[in-house]
Amino acid sequence: MAATENMELYKEEVTERGAMKIEVVLEEAKKKKRPASARSRPGSATSVRCMEDIERRQQAAEERRKMREATQLAQLAEKKKKGEDVRSKKVANGDKLEEGVES
């Protein structure tokens, strides 16, 4: 019961029916609050000081969107090519199977 040393109040008693009844009252939280300066995120809306900052951020966001779109299109094109390859192999294998059955 070393953990009970940190508690203000700890009561344990047995009821009439033999059940155990425990009452624990804990201390207030000891965690310190972070200072206000640490709470504000760098790069938050409060750090924007002028229109150039806003425009620069919008341009950077637009570039990220374009790059993401380009990679997605490339991935879709590759999937489409793989699908066409699979279909062509399936047709080729089907032709070979038909030739084998006819022989």
Side-chain angles (χ1 to χ4, degrees):
M1 290 214 197
T4 59
E5 294 171 4
N6 297 339
M7 296 178 202
E8 288 181 5
L9 180 66
Y10 178 83
K11 289 185 192 176
E12 187 175 302
E13 59 185 74
V14 178
T15 63
E16 295 173 6
R17 295 184 181 189
M20 184 168 284
K21 180 177 164 182
I22 299 174
E23 182 179 334
V24 179
V25 179
L26 301 175
E27 296 177 358
E28 291 294 319
K30 293 181 179 179
K31 186 176 178 182
K32 297 177 183 177
K33 292 186 177 182
R34 294 184 348 178
S37 61
R39 277 186 241 145
S40 63
R41 295 184 346 213
S44 64
T46 58
S47 68
V48 177
R49 301 286 183 227
C50 59
M51 285 301 290
E52 289 97 22
D53 288 344
I54 295 171
E55 291 171 359
R56 194 170 348 118
R57 287 175 186 229
Q58 286 179 338
Q59 288 174 352
E62 184 64 30
E63 289 175 9
R64 287 192 301 270
R65 279 193 290 273
K66 286 180 181 179
M67 288 182 65
R68 188 177 338 122
E69 184 179 344
T71 56
Q72 286 175 344
L73 288 174
Q75 288 174 349
L76 287 173
E78 190 170 328
K79 282 185 179 182
K80 186 176 180 181
K81 184 179 179 242
K82 274 187 177 181
E84 290 172 356
D85 290 345
V86 168
R87 283 189 289 278
S88 65
K89 285 182 181 179
K90 185 177 180 182
V91 168
N93 286 338
D95 291 343
K96 286 181 183 178
L97 288 175
E98 288 176 7
E99 290 173 5
V101 171
E102 291 175 0
S103 300

